[in-house]
Each structure stands twice: as C-alpha cells, then as structure tokens.
Amino acid sequence: MVHYLNQFFAQIGGEDKADLPPSAREGVIGPGQAFAKEFGDQAEIVTTVYCGDSYFAEHIAKAQEKCVKLIAAAQPDVVLVGPAFNAGRYGMACGAVAQGVAQRLSIPVVGGLFPENPGYEMYRQYAFFVETKGSAVGMREAVPRMARLALKLARGEEIGPPAEEGYLPRGCRKNFFAPESGAKRAVAMLLRKMAGLPFTTEYPMPEFDRVPPAKNLPDAGQALVALVTSGGIVPKGNPDRIPASSAGRYASYSLAGVTDLSPDQYQTVHGGYDPTYANADPDRVLPVDAARALEKEGRIGSLYERYFVTVGNGTSVANAARFAGEIAQALKNDGVQAVILTST
Amino acid sequence: MVKELERAGLPTVHICTIAPISQTVGANRIVPAVAIPHPLGNPVLTPKEEFILRKGLLERALAALETAIAEQTVFSDDEAPLEPPKPPTRMPLEQATEVRP
C-alpha cells in the first residue's frame, strides 16, 4: 500500500512548511505506524507520499499529478489517504489524490473524513471515506476502520453498502436482486411508517442546498458596501477572544477613521494558516486600505462603518450559517446593500 | 457564510484562494485570490505593487457585485487563469443514491 499524508502528519512541520511540494519516502511515517500495526503481516505500507497543505490547495492540478506519479512508482494494490478529519486543505488534497489515483491508475483508495469536510462533497465518488471525528482525536477510531476496508479491497473482496461497511456514501448505485419484490418492500415500509416504527428508505432524496444569486447592484459607486472576513483579522490582543479554530463566535469592529490596517493595531488569530504575512500587513486579508481608496475614487459609494470577523478554521457549517444570518440582519438594518467577504 | 448573506438578499462576493471549496459550498459570486496566507497581497511584490494588486482584486469583486448572474460564477483573471477548478459533481437523480439490499 501507499499512504498519503500532509506535511504535518508526515512530521515535516506545521504551517511554516505548508508550502512544501509533493515528495515521497520509503516506509511508514506518523499515522502509518498505527496502520502497520492493524495490517500485521497482511499488508505493508511501502511508500509514504506527502505534500504541504497550502502547496496542494494552491496548485491542485500540479500537486495531484505529481502525487499520482509518486504513488504509481510504488505499484500499490490500495492507496490510503489521511485521515484528514475536518482539515479543509488536507481533505481537499486527500480527495484530489483519490481522484487522480482512481481515474488514472484504477487503484482503490481508502480515506477518512469528517462529513462536513469540503473534500468529501467534492471527491466522494473516488474513495471509500470512513467517517471520522472533526479533529485528530478521532485517529484511534478511524485507523482500524480504514484498515479493515483497505484489507478487504486488497484481497479483492466486494465492498457492501456504506451503512454496512462503515464508509460515507459515494453517490454510486449498484444493481442487485432483492429477495422480495418492490411492492412487498414498499408495503412493509409503509406499515412500519404507519406504526411509528423506524424504517430505512431505499432511495433518499438528494439535498440541494443552493441559494439563488441575489440581485446585482446597479452601481457599486452608489452603494453602501460592507467588509466581512473569515480570515481572523482582529484588533491587536483579540479583545473578544475569537478562538483560533472551531470558532463559536464572531465579532464586529469599527472602521470609523480607519484607512489602513497597521500591524501595530491589527493581527490575525486564525490558526489554520501561517500568520506571518497577515500580521505584517492585515490588509492582505481584510483589504481596508484598497477599499478606502476605491471609496475616495467613487468606485464604492461608501464603506460600511464596521466590519465583521470570525475564524473559518474547522468552524461547523451550523455555526457559520448562524453567524452569517445574524450578520446579514445587522447589515440590512443599517442599510448595507452588498458584501465583500474575504477568506484565506 | 456567503450563502446565508445571499439568502438574506445581500449580493455577496467571495474573495477566496481555493475557489473549488467556495463552489462546493455554494457561493454564487467568486473571485479567486492570491494565496492562502495572503489572499489579497503578495509579499514578494513592493508595497506599491501589492496595493495595486489588492485594489485590482477589489475592483473585480465590485464588478462581480454589479453583474447579473443566474448561476455560480467565478470571476477570474483571464491573463492568469486558475488551475482548472473542477465543479462539484452532481449526479443525475437516478444515480444519486446508494441502494441498500
């Protein structure tokens, strides 16, 4: 088998090494040891391929191609990716590696993701992704479940449906002969439903949570425009103590009289990227200086007097939706007509 | 967040580095940014060049807010195209579900 890891789990370094291009090493690294223990003498991780999270996210096609090449060289029977839990960049990387391996090498891939990880929605059909917790505390549970599926695939055994085998649905449909006809199964299901008993649908309706685009501004030069960021830019000292990850709150701060975010007065508290560049010039994340210049030129009617901020790092979808619902209300109450939201 | 702001009727543009994530989550107006640790800047440039870059991204964002769209749209720079973002795969309804025995 070949194992794909990010720079952190490959023990190269943290955010300071997130720009590392793909490379490979013989044998196991980090979580690979836990897999090796599970595999015993039934399988072996011969190569570990790893890449920095930011490098991958910023060069998806190139990183994917290189990783597939490195993996192909080891001629594995199965490829393991992650687990990446709810780490967004890492999850996307695991998904992209799975896509490349599945499409170009036709080798099965097993991974581990938290269901809200965007890598799952985007790449779910390319791997068997075991459902994990949101953070690495879920490693101990994830490894044996991934290992079991990987061994099954390595032996060429048939993989059953998601609920039975413990992986997240891949959006694939498989034909089979049911012991009873559809009419009988439908009546049985209806009777359970009428009796208030639990039942499992054979055809869950897909959820399409799409919002139709809001109407465009006729002219931004006449509009009140607000800045919002998930990049964690706060006044120095983080007065509202917004957490560096899994934020349960947001804050808003005045921009009255502010024409430029100076590093003496603002900083980032986002824990998911290297803060060096944002701390040196916070406008790189929350572009107040350029927005003020455009306001002066008349390209923006006026800039709303406050900005809203949270940290988008492992933040749950439910929290993010709640924050934005409340922010939208506050902005609309003050007559804001459009929003520029920046993310890292 | 972008989606909820739009749901409330506020046209919202998302300036972000990983456009495919924004597309997957469902933002409607997307402007791809520079890099994860500095979406609206680039430390290898001079401060003046960086300011021009940042202002340019905001101008593109304003143009996005002024554009009538019917579906998700990525407003990218034609001269420096992104690596092709893969749109989220939506299968036809008949293939969209796992079927259990």
Side-chain angles (χ1 to χ4, degrees):
Chain A
M1 304 206 184
V2 171
H3 193 189
Y4 175 80
L5 296 171
N6 71 354
Q7 89 284 355
F8 176 75
F9 285 104
Q11 302 173 351
I12 308 292
E15 285 302 328
D16 55 324
K17 300 284 183 200
D19 281 328
L20 182 86
S23 40
R25 223 171 74 186
E26 263 180 47
V28 296
I29 309 178
Q33 286 164 4
F35 282 106
K37 215 178 243 175
E38 288 292 326
F39 292 149
D41 55 7
Q42 298 180 79
E44 187 191 353
I45 294 173
V46 290
T47 299
T48 303
V49 173
Y50 50 90
C51 178
D53 278 337
S54 289
Y55 183 90
F56 208 115
E58 290 167 9
H59 311 87
I60 294 176
K62 215 160 101 188
Q64 182 190 47
E65 199 188 318
K66 177 81 184 161
C67 286
V68 168
K69 254 188 212 155
L70 292 168
I71 290 167
Q75 297 182 298
D77 297 308
V78 177
V79 174
L80 298 162
V81 293
F85 311 103
N86 198 20
R89 288 169 299 167
Y90 189 18
M92 292 287 285
C94 286
V97 168
Q99 180 194 34
V101 168
Q103 288 182 337
R104 280 178 237 162
L105 309 178
S106 301
I107 296 171
V109 183
V110 176
L113 290 176
F114 183 67
E116 285 188 3
N117 193 314
Y120 168 60
E121 167 82 15
M122 191 143 165
Y123 295 107
R124 59 181 179 170
Q125 65 269 48
Y126 303 112
F128 294 92
F129 286 114
V130 161
E131 177 174 346
T132 69
K133 290 210 168 93
S135 73
V137 294
M139 185 68 83
R140 195 186 285 250
E141 280 171 43
V143 167
R145 288 160 50 205
M146 281 173 63
R148 195 188 69 86
L149 275 177
L151 285 175
K152 255 188 120 161
L153 287 162
R155 289 191 293 257
E157 288 174 25
E158 183 102 354
I159 303 292
E164 226 168 73
E165 301 272 5
Y167 62 91
L168 292 161
R170 290 155 43 97
C172 303
R173 227 179 152 200
K174 213 170 188 176
N175 287 324
F176 65 94
F177 287 101
E180 289 188 318
S181 75
K184 275 192 165 175
R185 303 202 306 277
V187 169
M189 200 186 292
L190 181 62
L191 288 174
R192 289 190 71 85
K193 187 174 183 179
M194 287 167 68
L197 294 168
F199 63 94
T200 310
T201 179
E202 292 184 10
Y203 204 116
M205 290 294 113
E207 286 174 40
F208 292 102
D209 183 27
R210 284 292 182 260
V211 176
K215 200 176 162 339
N216 59 298
L217 287 177
D219 175 10
Q222 303 288 324
L224 179 59
V225 178
L227 291 178
V228 178
T229 186
S230 65
I233 302 296
V234 296
K236 201 113 194 191
N238 192 15
D240 292 285
R241 294 175 169 269
I242 298 180
S245 72
S246 308
R249 58 181 171 268
Y250 62 94
S252 92
Y253 299 105
S254 173
L255 286 175
V258 181
T259 54
D260 186 13
L261 300 184
S262 86
D264 308 330
Q265 285 169 341
Y266 294 88
Q267 65 170 114
T268 180
V269 286
H270 196 296
Y273 63 89
D274 181 349
T276 314
Y277 311 103
N279 283 339
D281 184 359
D283 291 289
R284 286 171 174 156
V285 174
L286 184 71
V288 174
D289 60 351
R292 284 294 187 208
L294 290 163
E295 186 183 33
K296 216 168 166 188
E297 290 171 17
R299 187 67 186 90
I300 292 177
S302 58
L303 189 64
Y304 179 58
E305 62 187 13
R306 304 183 72 77
Y307 77 93
F308 284 85
V309 54
T310 189
V311 163
N313 180 23
T315 307
S316 72
V317 172
N319 269 342
R322 177 174 61 82
F323 299 166
E326 293 173 12
I327 292 169
Q329 208 46 57
L331 293 177
K332 283 174 78 177
N333 288 346
D334 283 353
V336 169
Q337 291 155 291
V339 178
I340 296 172
L341 195 150
T342 62
S343 292
T344 42
Chain B
M1 290 183 79
V2 179
K3 214 158 66 180
E4 292 308 312
L5 290 162
E6 287 243 321
R7 209 192 294 276
L10 286 165
T12 303
V13 56
H14 195 200
I15 304 182
C16 63
T17 306
I18 318 177
I21 290 190
S22 185
Q23 285 176 294
T24 303
V25 175
N28 289 320
R29 293 177 168 87
I30 301 166
V31 170
V34 179
I36 289 161
H38 44 82
L40 289 116
N42 192 345
V44 305
L45 302 177
T46 66
K48 201 174 162 195
E49 290 170 332
E50 230 190 322
F51 180 79
I52 292 168
L53 166 82
R54 176 153 58 246
K55 209 168 141 210
L57 282 167
L58 276 189
E59 279 170 350
R60 200 180 308 154
L62 293 169
L65 290 171
E66 290 171 339
T67 307
I69 53 167
E71 55 182 15
Q72 286 190 303
T73 307
V74 178
F75 297 82
S76 53
D77 182 355
D78 296 330
E79 288 161 5
L82 277 189
E83 293 183 26
K86 194 185 66 71
T89 317
R90 292 285 184 188
M91 300 207 174
L93 201 57
E94 314 80 66
Q95 292 171 25
T97 52
E98 301 271 354
V99 178
R100 281 189 52 102

